[in-house]
């Protein structure tokens, strides 16, 4: 994704830090304490009407502060909320639109200036406790892992080391038979039965005590009450006695089995109402609220502290209550995105008020900075709600948007879709179904009555707003898989920080501002390679932007050769399989699809390989399909190729895959869509493609044609054996020269000495360029090559550079003069072959072989024209028009 803010801004923030801090006591800015629950339902707190759970401290906080009834999460799952909270940017702009899997290559982009970084630069102590979930984990073999201390937190405690939500909430925090603690707590401080929520609360109080002398930002991110629910035993027993637990929503409970309690859910971890574990975990959070408040009061800091409590999304509807709201976690209905929010800030937020004005968590970043009188540098998607905090009647005229594309429904029931709330109107767009729903929240907060049919004009208006917003934030809707069921991530790169070393590219490319950008060097076709690629059935997905380019390709293949290529052009895309001697197979142009790509827009291409099927699609209506034996291979080659103009890539993903459960039916539907959007080609191109395709088609199916082709091949081989200098291919000559260079480098000291001289000359040029801008030497590999190329373009006419180029040319000429056979040029090959043909053209055998080959090829071509009437028709039309 394109970032609004860049690394330059980040550096600026840290410069401000050293200029402006420390503050005097008189200037002390407000402390900020942000407590976040995980998957807490909208209706679970006493102050929101719950009669079973006991939350006296949160209720008191609401009584002494402000309770919001229409606060929203930026997404219905956790990672997007957390990213939006810390950046003020919408998840769609960040490219974090779903929860991050344990081995995810995606992470919170390092080039963004986060809320803690800005506060840190303005004199704040910053600390984070608990759930991070904004990176993959090294334990799960994620190539990159970023921690809270990489994003502006001075101190971090209790963040996860692996996947969360396993219910191992008691010391030593080891899940079943796993070899490590899933959380970075090395020692207990609350005894051998230490409870995780209690420990995090304890550390929060400790942080306040340690940092009382300066303003601080404390982000306490609880894991509770995320399922599997597993509360502190004494509290669980308290609530079990208070009211019998409801029926369990799941039949299996491994925590019960591990405790020797047998099958089912005898401990009521999955009770759908009056859940004792949920109540116990919530009481633990509430107890921490009380302890934090008491410590703030004891340190005389309460009056100058902004104290915030909320949840990252709606509750899991099988164990939490979001009533009367519809749905829950993973869904775009109100129960999935509307969250509890309580704010207390004495003398600033009015006591005991209820705020009914919609707000979303991207607003926290600008609002907190506004409250602390800190200037917001850079742009955010949220807006300051400070005026509304101080006066809950103050209106906020802004639509709220959501973007939640999924490849398949979330296991909790979520669907792929988007939504917009504008005033009291809310529209939900379901991507897979192609349908929309419209609700009037003022009349129907439970979203029971879809009134889209009664308000078609409002549907059109809101769909337009939602579409325009997606364009503004570059939100894409990836086409869901058709033939595959994606499984484990094989490789991914989101350019959220230093790029993967597995991607190789030259100085034409630079990973910056969250994308891989081809710079305008004017170099001919250039490729991006994946090192050590080995894959077979996969789903490949990537975002691309044409910019000035006209030709983008995804190139895949086996044994170091390409065999299946997806070609993207400005006005269409198509699939081509290549010549491959293993079949043997010949080049074949498969289906193509007309599509008018806007060069300035981002698009997402989904590519699926399964057995001998290959499908590439922008959406389910625009696709290209191929079915060919050459596809059914283990692939060891993966590359992108772009012409000589700028283009960009982002969010490259390769996921191992298996056949979709709907493979057969989807394949039939797919085949009926293949020619839905034909592409009109010039007559010459259509003729040439038809002829190429006919060659492969008849070779694979007709023995008579196969024998004609083999006759041509035998004559070609015979010519090469009898007159090698005249008929050896360009590629063979180049390959022989390369082999010679490798041999010389191993065995010839003189060659090695001359070659090293060229290397020294190249290094001298690079050193000279870096000397012109020394900071380039500190750039990451993903940016360094391109930076050097930019310097090269800038200094082409400098005297120093020209001298070094002359030195390189001299060293290279000296090497080539000493070993001419190792460095034969294209022109020399061409002239050599021409001379050889002239020398032997009078030879009787040469003439006989040439005539025999010409006759054989003519017979091969005639077969095609006789047996493919369409090809013959195109030939006739082509001849008439030329």
């Amino acid at each position: 994704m394109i970032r609004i803010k860049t690394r330059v801004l980040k550096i600026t923030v840290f410069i401000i830090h050293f200029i402006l801090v420390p503050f005097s006591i008189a200037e002390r800015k407000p402390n900020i304490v942000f407590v976040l629950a995980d998957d807490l339902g909208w209706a679970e707190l006493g102050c929101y009407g719950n009669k079973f759970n006991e939350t006296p401290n949160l209720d008191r906080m609401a009584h002494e502060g402000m309770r919001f009834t229409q606060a929203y999460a930026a997404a219905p799952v956790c990672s997007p909320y957390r990213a939006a909270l810390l950046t003020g940017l919408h998840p769609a702009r960040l490219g974090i639109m779903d929860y991050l899997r344990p081995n995810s290559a995606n992470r919170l982009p390092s080039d963004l200036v986060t809320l803690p970084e800005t506060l840190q630069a303005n004199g704040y102590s910053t600390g984070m406790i608990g759930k991070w979930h904004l990176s993959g984990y090294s334990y799960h073999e994620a190539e990159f892992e970023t921690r809270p201390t990489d994003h502006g937190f001075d101190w971090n405690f209790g963040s996860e080391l692996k996947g969360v939500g396993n219910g191992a909430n008691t010391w030593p925090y080891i899940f079943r038979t796993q070899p490590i603690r899933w959380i970075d707590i090395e020692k207990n401080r609350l005894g051998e039965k230490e409870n995780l929520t209690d420990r995090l609360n304890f550390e929060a109080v400790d942080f306040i005590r340690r940092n009382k002398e300066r303003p601080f930002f404390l982000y306490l991110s609880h894991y509770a009450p995320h399922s599997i629910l597993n509360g502190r035993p004494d509290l669980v027993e308290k609530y079990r006695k208070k009211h019998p637990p409801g029926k369990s929503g799941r039949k299996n409970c491994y925590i019960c089995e591990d405790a020797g309690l047998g099958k089912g859910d005898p401990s009521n971890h999955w009770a759908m109402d009056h859940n004792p574990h949920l109540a116990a975990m919530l009481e633990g959070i509430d107890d921490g609220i009380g302890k934090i408040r008491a410590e703030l009061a004891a340190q005389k800091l309460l009056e100058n502290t902004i104290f915030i409590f909320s949840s990252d999304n709606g509750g899991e509807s099988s164990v939490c209550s979001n009533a009367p709201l519809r749905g829950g976690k993973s869904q775009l209905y109100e129960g999935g995105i509307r969250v509890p929010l309580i704010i207390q800030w004495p003398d600033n937020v009015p006591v005991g008020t209820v705020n009914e004005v919609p707000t979303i968590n991207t607003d926290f970043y600008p609002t907190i900075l506004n409250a602390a009188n800190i200037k917001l540098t850079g742009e955010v998607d949220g807006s300051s709600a400070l005026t509304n905090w101080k006066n809950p009647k103050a209106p906020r005229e802004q639509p709220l948007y959501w973007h939640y594309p999924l490849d398949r429904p979330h296991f909790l029931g979520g669907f792929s879709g988007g939504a917009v709330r504008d005033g009291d109107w809310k529209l939900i767009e379901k991507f897979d179904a192609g349908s929309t729903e419209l609700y009037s929240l003022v009349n129907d907060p439970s979203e029971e009555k879809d009134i889209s049919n009664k308000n078609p004009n409002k549907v059109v208006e809101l769909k337009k707003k939602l579409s325009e917003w997606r364009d503004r934030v570059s939100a894409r809707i990836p086409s869901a898989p058709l033939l595959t069921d994606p499984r484990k991530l094989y490789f991914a790169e989101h350019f959220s920080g230093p790029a993967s070393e597995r991607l190789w590219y030259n100085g034409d490319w630079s990973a910056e501002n969250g994308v891989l950008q081809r710079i305008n060097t004017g170099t001919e076709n250039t490729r991006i390679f994946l090192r050590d690629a080995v894959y077979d059935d996969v789903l490949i997905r990537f975002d691309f932007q044409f910019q000035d380019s006209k030709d983008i390709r995804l190139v895949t293949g086996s044994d170091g050769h390409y065999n299946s290529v997806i070609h993207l052009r400005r006005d269409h895309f198509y699939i081509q399989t290549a010549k491959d001697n293993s079949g043997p197979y010949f080049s074949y142009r498969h289906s193509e699809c007309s599509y008018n790509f806007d060069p300035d827009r981002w698009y997402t291409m989904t590519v699926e390989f399964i057995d001998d099927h290959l499908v590439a699609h922008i959406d389910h209506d625009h696709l290209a399909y191929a079915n060919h034996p050459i596809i059914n291979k283990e692939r060891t080659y993966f590359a992108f190729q772009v012409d000589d103009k700028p283009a960009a890539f982002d969010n490259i993903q390769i996921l191992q895959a298996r056949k979709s459960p709907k493979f057969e039916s989807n394949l039939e539907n797919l085949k009926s869509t293949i020619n839905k959007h034909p592409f009109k080609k010039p007559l010459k191109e259509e003729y040439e493609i038809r002829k190429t395709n006919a060659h492969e088609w008849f070779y694979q199916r007709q023995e008579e044609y196969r024998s004609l082709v083999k006759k041509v091949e035998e004559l070609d081989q015979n010519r090469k054996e009898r007159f090698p200098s005249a008929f050896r291919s360009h590629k063979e000559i180049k390959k022989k020269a390369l082999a010679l260079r490798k041999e010389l480098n191993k065995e010839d000291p003189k060659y090695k000495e001359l070659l090293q001289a060229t290397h020294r000359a190249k290094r001298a040029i690079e050193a000279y360029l870096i000397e012109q801008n020394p900071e380039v030497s500190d750039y990451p590999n993903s940016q360094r090559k391109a930076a050097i190329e930019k310097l090269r373009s800038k200094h082409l006419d400098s005297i120093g550079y020209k001298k070094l180029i002359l030195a390189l040319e001299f060293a290279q000429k000296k090497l080539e003069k000493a070993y001419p056979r190792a460095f034969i040029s294209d022109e020399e090959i061409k002239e050599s072959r021409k001379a050889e043909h002239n020398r032997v053209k009078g030879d009787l055998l040469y003439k006989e072989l040439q005539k025999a080959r010409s006759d054989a090829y003519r017979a091969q071509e005639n077969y095609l024209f006789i047996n493919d009437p369409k090809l013959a028709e195109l030939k006739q039309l082509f001849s008439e028009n030329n």
Side-chain angles (χ1 to χ4, degrees):
M1 294 290 174
I2 296 177
R3 317 293 184 210
I4 288 180
K5 297 172 285 185
T6 66
R7 186 170 177 267
V8 175
L9 180 56
K10 191 172 217 176
I11 293 169
T12 304
V13 168
F14 284 100
I15 292 172
I16 292 171
H17 168 68
F18 291 107
I19 294 174
L20 297 183
V21 298
F23 292 101
S24 69
I25 297 298
E27 297 172 311
R28 177 155 179 158
K29 295 182 178 295
N31 309 302
I32 302 113
V33 176
F34 196 112
V35 181
L36 186 67
D38 192 6
D39 296 355
L40 177 62
W42 186 78
E44 294 293 357
L45 304 183
C47 55
Y48 279 83
N50 193 282
K51 302 301 183 184
F52 177 64
N53 302 326
E54 298 177 16
T55 56
N57 293 298
L58 283 163
D59 298 346
R60 178 183 180 181
M61 186 176 169
H63 180 71
E64 296 181 355
M66 181 178 288
R67 179 174 66 88
F68 291 73
T69 61
Q70 300 192 66
Y72 288 94
V77 289
C78 54
S79 298
Y81 177 100
R82 295 160 196 276
L85 170 67
L86 295 180
T87 65
L89 298 174
H90 197 281
R93 194 189 296 279
L94 294 166
I96 301 177
M97 293 168 285
D98 198 4
Y99 70 92
L100 298 185
R101 275 55 172 180
N103 70 335
S104 175
N106 206 356
R107 66 260 195 216
L108 186 66
S110 58
D111 59 340
L112 297 179
V113 182
T114 63
L115 175 61
E117 283 174 323
T118 303
L119 293 172
Q120 187 184 59
N122 284 272
Y124 276 75
S125 294
T126 56
M128 194 218 154
I129 300 170
K131 183 174 178 179
W132 177 236
H133 209 169
L134 286 173
S135 172
Y137 311 112
S138 299
Y139 180 82
H140 293 282
E141 300 181 342
E143 186 172 0
F144 299 102
E145 178 176 351
T146 64
R147 308 297 291 175
T149 49
D150 297 319
H151 292 279
F153 288 104
D154 300 318
W155 174 77
N156 168 231
F157 177 85
S159 290
E160 69 277 7
L161 300 173
K162 59 184 298 299
V164 303
N166 52 44
N169 300 332
T170 304
W171 177 266
Y173 310 120
I174 293 176
F175 175 56
R176 307 191 85 182
T177 59
Q178 290 185 350
I180 67 166
R181 274 188 277 277
W182 66 274
I183 195 167
D184 67 347
I185 299 179
E186 296 181 359
K187 297 179 181 179
N188 68 66
R189 296 180 71 181
L190 302 178
E192 289 301 316
K193 295 184 179 180
E194 174 181 281
N195 173 269
L196 178 56
T197 301
D198 293 345
R199 178 62 186 278
L200 300 185
N201 291 333
F202 182 89
E203 295 294 338
V205 170
D206 214 18
F207 174 84
I208 293 170
R209 196 172 292 138
R210 291 197 312 269
N211 292 277
K212 61 186 177 183
E213 300 300 330
R214 62 185 301 186
F216 56 79
F217 170 49
L218 170 61
Y219 174 34
L220 171 56
S221 176
H222 280 294
Y223 296 94
H226 189 295
S227 64
I228 181 172
L229 302 178
N230 191 20
R232 206 174 77 198
D234 61 317
L235 294 176
V236 171
E237 190 59 28
K238 166 189 169 180
Y239 286 100
R240 190 177 279 119
K241 290 177 179 177
K242 183 175 180 178
H243 191 287
K247 181 181 178 181
S248 290
R250 295 193 185 184
K251 296 179 180 180
N252 298 319
C253 172
Y254 51 73
I255 290 180
C256 299
E257 293 176 21
D258 290 351
L261 300 176
K263 299 289 185 180
D265 183 28
S267 292
N268 313 115
H269 294 275
W270 296 102
M272 292 188 289
D273 62 85
H274 296 92
N275 189 305
H277 290 274
L278 173 62
M281 297 175 84
L282 192 48
E283 181 169 330
I285 293 174
D286 185 80
D287 183 59
I289 295 292
K291 285 181 166 64
I292 290 170
R293 186 188 189 285
E295 185 62 28
L296 289 169
Q299 300 295 343
K300 296 182 172 52
L301 298 174
L302 185 62
E303 300 302 311
N304 193 36
T305 298
I306 302 171
F307 199 172
I308 303 170
F309 174 82
S310 194
S311 175
D312 61 349
N313 46 253
E316 188 174 327
S317 54
S318 60
V319 291
C320 285
S321 174
N322 304 297
L325 307 179
R326 179 179 177 181
K329 177 181 178 179
S330 84
Q331 300 178 29
L332 292 175
Y333 294 115
E334 292 291 286
I337 53 178
R338 198 186 292 196
V339 293
L341 173 63
I342 304 169
I343 298 176
Q344 182 179 0
W345 186 18
D347 300 329
N348 289 278
V349 170
V351 173
T353 53
V354 175
N355 193 320
E356 298 180 347
V357 176
T359 185
I360 195 165
N361 74 297
T362 50
D363 293 338
F364 284 121
Y365 192 140
T367 306
I368 287 171
L369 293 189
N370 194 1
N373 197 26
I374 296 172
K375 183 179 180 182
L376 176 65
T377 53
E379 297 178 47
V380 294
D381 291 319
S383 61
S384 176
L386 186 60
T387 301
N388 182 251
W389 283 14
K390 295 185 175 185
N391 175 14
K393 299 298 182 183
R396 301 188 72 217
E397 302 289 337
Q398 61 166 358
L400 304 179
Y401 298 96
W402 291 267
H403 187 63
Y404 187 53
L406 297 174
D407 279 341
R408 56 177 175 234
H410 191 282
F411 66 91
L412 293 176
F415 52 84
S416 181
V420 54
R421 173 171 179 169
D422 190 9
D424 290 319
W425 293 99
K426 181 180 174 188
L427 178 134
I428 297 175
E429 185 175 5
K430 294 185 174 179
F431 297 149
D432 292 344
S435 62
T436 54
E437 298 172 6
L438 181 69
Y439 300 98
S440 171
L441 295 179
V442 68
N443 299 316
D444 181 22
S446 300
E447 297 172 294
E448 294 178 339
K449 300 174 183 177
D450 175 11
I451 54 175
S452 56
N453 289 335
K454 296 179 180 179
N455 298 272
N457 292 337
K458 180 58 69 172
V459 169
V460 170
E461 175 194 338
L462 292 181
K463 283 190 73 172
K464 184 173 185 290
K465 284 189 175 183
L466 187 53
S467 177
E468 290 173 346
W469 171 80
R470 281 198 292 260
D471 286 343
R472 289 198 301 274
V473 300
S474 294
R476 273 83 83 187
I477 307 173
S479 186
L482 287 164
L483 303 180
T484 61
D485 180 12
R487 313 302 291 178
K488 184 179 178 181
L489 180 69
Y490 173 70
F491 172 79
E493 178 53 75
H494 299 269
F495 307 103
S496 302
S500 171
E501 291 297 322
R502 287 191 64 191
L503 279 184
W504 182 92
Y505 41 87
N506 63 18
D508 293 339
W509 295 91
S510 178
E512 54 189 27
N513 296 331
V515 300
L516 183 62
Q517 176 68 52
R518 192 203 201 294
I519 63 175
N520 196 8
T521 60
T523 312
E524 292 185 2
N525 290 345
T526 183
R527 287 187 180 180
I528 305 157
F529 293 94
L530 177 63
R531 302 178 197 266
D532 305 319
V534 181
Y535 61 102
D536 41 41
D537 290 341
V538 291
L539 178 142
I540 298 169
R541 183 170 281 149
F542 60 94
D543 297 342
F544 65 96
Q545 189 181 40
F546 269 100
Q547 297 181 358
D548 294 336
S549 68
K550 295 180 180 179
D551 182 15
I552 295 175
R553 304 178 189 183
L554 169 64
V555 186
T556 67
S558 306
D559 304 318
H561 304 287
Y562 71 88
N563 55 35
S564 303
V565 184
I566 290 85
H567 295 255
L568 305 175
R569 304 285 170 81
R570 292 280 189 93
D571 50 7
H572 71 294
F573 61 96
Y574 63 92
I575 296 173
Q576 184 164 9
T577 51
K579 182 175 181 180
D580 188 318
N581 291 331
S582 67
Y585 306 110
F586 298 96
S587 178
Y588 193 88
R589 175 80 72 91
H590 297 265
S591 72
E592 55 197 8
C593 179
S594 178
Y595 196 96
N596 290 318
F597 292 103
D598 181 338
D600 298 321
R601 285 190 63 180
W602 281 94
Y603 297 90
T604 301
M605 175 62 75
T606 300
V607 180
E608 301 174 70
F609 287 91
I610 190 77
D611 294 342
D612 56 357
H613 303 273
L614 166 58
V615 59
H617 43 111
I618 292 292
D619 54 49
H620 288 186
D621 199 48
H622 294 86
L623 56 85
Y625 169 74
N627 179 211
H628 196 281
I630 200 174
I631 297 169
N632 195 12
K633 285 190 171 190
E634 181 180 75
R635 276 163 279 278
T636 56
Y637 190 87
F638 180 99
F640 290 104
Q641 178 175 307
V642 178
D643 60 23
D644 59 347
K645 301 295 183 184
F649 292 102
D650 193 10
N651 298 320
I652 300 167
Q653 300 175 74
I654 306 175
L655 294 108
Q656 296 171 347
R658 64 186 184 187
K659 275 189 178 180
S660 165
K662 298 180 179 179
F663 177 85
E664 297 299 337
S665 60
N666 284 356
L667 182 59
E668 287 304 310
N669 292 334
L670 180 159
K671 288 180 178 178
S672 68
T673 310
I674 290 173
N675 297 314
K676 189 174 182 180
H677 302 282
F679 176 68
K680 181 67 175 176
K681 296 177 287 295
L683 181 61
K684 179 181 179 182
E685 184 180 353
E686 188 176 358
Y687 166 68
E688 290 173 346
I689 292 171
R690 183 82 185 191
K691 185 178 177 185
T692 299
N693 282 3
H695 178 58
E696 165 69 354
W697 179 268
F698 286 112
Y699 183 89
Q700 301 301 337
R701 291 164 179 79
Q702 301 289 340
E703 178 59 37
E704 183 180 355
Y705 182 71
R706 196 153 44 241
S707 65
L708 293 174
V709 174
K710 288 179 178 178
K711 179 65 176 177
V712 174
E713 291 174 345
E714 289 169 3
L715 289 167
D716 282 339
Q717 184 62 29
N718 196 359
R719 288 191 308 176
K720 188 184 295 183
E721 290 173 357
R722 298 300 183 94
F723 302 96
S725 298
F727 292 103
R728 190 179 295 123
S729 71
H730 186 101
K731 187 175 182 179
E732 287 172 320
I733 296 171
K734 283 286 190 178
K735 190 174 181 180
K736 186 176 181 182
L738 176 61
L740 176 59
R741 292 200 297 273
K742 289 181 178 179
E743 182 182 343
L744 290 169
N745 196 34
K746 288 181 180 179
E747 302 176 357
D748 190 328
K750 181 182 176 183
Y751 177 87
K752 290 175 70 173
E753 181 183 341
L754 292 172
L755 181 63
Q756 286 298 321
T758 65
H759 293 335
R760 287 193 296 273
K762 290 175 183 176
R763 287 195 295 270
I765 292 171
E766 185 171 304
Y768 171 83
L769 293 171
I770 293 175
E771 189 179 313
Q772 312 311 306
N773 187 4
E775 70 176 40
V776 168
S777 60
D778 296 326
Y779 284 9
N781 289 338
S782 56
Q783 298 175 11
R784 191 168 181 270
K785 293 177 183 177
I788 291 172
E789 290 307 310
K790 289 178 180 178
L791 287 170
R792 191 187 307 278
S793 298
K794 185 177 180 180
H795 295 282
L796 283 174
D797 295 327
S798 69
I799 295 174
Y801 180 80
K802 286 182 176 180
K803 285 182 177 179
L804 292 170
I805 288 294
L806 287 173
L808 172 60
E809 291 174 350
F810 177 79
Q812 186 65 35
K813 286 178 180 177
K814 190 174 181 181
L815 175 64
E816 293 177 9
K817 184 177 180 181
Y819 298 92
R821 289 191 303 118
F823 294 95
I824 187 166
S825 68
D826 294 343
E827 188 61 32
E828 286 172 331
I829 292 172
K830 181 180 177 181
E831 290 301 319
S832 174
R833 273 207 302 252
K834 182 179 178 181
E836 186 63 18
H837 277 287
N838 286 333
R839 188 182 71 79
V840 299
K841 66 181 180 181
D843 188 293
L844 183 60
L845 179 59
Y846 174 86
K847 291 180 179 179
E848 290 175 353
L849 287 174
Q850 286 289 74
K851 183 178 185 306
R853 202 277 183 185
S854 178
D855 292 343
Y857 185 73
R858 191 177 301 110
Q860 175 187 313
E861 279 203 321
N862 287 340
Y863 184 96
L864 296 179
F865 296 126
I866 291 169
N867 290 277
D868 186 345
K870 178 65 175 177
L871 178 62
E873 179 187 339
L874 288 171
K875 181 184 180 183
Q876 181 65 31
L877 289 171
F878 182 60
S879 300
E880 291 172 358
N881 284 274
N882 288 277

